Amino acid sequence: MPHAIDLHAYIAAFAASPLAKWGASMPWELPARAPEIVRELLAALPADEFALEGDIAIHRSARVEAGAVLKGPLILGAGCFVAAGAYLRGGNWVDARCTVGPGTELKSSFVFAGTALAHFNFVGDSVIGAGVNMEAGSIVCNHRNERAAKEIFVRSGEGGALQPTGCEKFGALIGDGARIGANAVIAPGALLRPGRVVGRASLLDQELSGHE
């Protein structure tokens, strides 16, 4: 039986967010259901606060530059900024005051308030806490391309045993206030505690090392 991973221990605002009803989920279960979850949340949005077009909702205070590609289902929160050349696809929920910079791709992910994907980032199938900063070129991988067996494993504690996720696409659960340095690579299945710092040009692969 997999060990439970408490989303609230990583993201303080989770319980008060629109995602609260999914608070007992494993972190990899949310991205796997991202289109379904985002569509459910779309139905409850106040129409006077969001501009709605199909399955895309953009808060009226958000700013999206020409040249950004937005694919639904998508919710973009208040005060967000999406730069030219950004690409959002696969079902994304982006909370207030987030930045998705030029050349950044965001896929099937949930991003909490005040987080910045600065420029030229890839974040796939992930849950990202509030106030996280990803410097230029840092990426969150979501697929074990390097081996024949693609299932992703996670470690739920320092030096803990690997546990299976049963899925082949999961990037990371990144806690509030984490800092990811430029050109850093986070391998699939990472669980980053709040405030974690990942150095520039480094590789973090928790499947190989139990350090959180």
Side-chain angles (χ1 to χ4, degrees), residues 121-184:
N121 309 106
F122 172 77
V123 175
D125 299 271
S126 295
V127 182
I128 312 295
V132 173
N133 188 74
M134 295 186 64
E135 290 185 340
S138 57
I139 66 172
V140 179
C141 304
N142 64 340
H143 183 59
R144 286 284 178 182
N145 184 58
E146 72 274 21
R147 64 187 186 210
K150 305 299 186 186
E151 183 179 6
I152 291 168
F153 293 80
V154 302
R155 294 184 192 271
S156 57
E158 180 85 17
L162 288 171
Q163 72 177 71
T165 65
C167 68
E168 295 185 358
K169 289 286 183 75
F170 172 56
L173 168 60
I174 299 181
D176 294 336
R179 296 289 182 266
I180 315 300
N183 294 321

Side-chain angles (χ1 to χ4, degrees), residues 8-95:
H8 307 84
Y10 289 80
I11 303 171
F14 202 99
S17 77
L19 299 174
K21 68 177 286 186
W22 293 280
S25 302
M26 291 294 202
W28 51 88
E29 293 174 338
L30 294 175
R33 298 178 59 197
E36 168 196 343
I37 292 171
V38 177
R39 286 193 178 98
E40 182 172 335
L41 296 176
L42 279 165
L45 290 178
D48 60 331
E49 295 182 19
F50 287 82
L52 301 170
E53 184 173 341
D55 57 359
I56 296 175
I58 301 174
H59 196 277
R60 297 183 188 280
S61 65
R63 184 160 64 98
V64 179
E65 291 187 334
V69 177
L70 307 183
K71 294 187 175 181
L74 169 67
I75 296 174
L76 193 63
C80 285
F81 171 70
V82 180
Y87 182 34
L88 284 71
R89 66 180 178 91
N92 291 292
W93 176 82
V94 183
D95 204 358

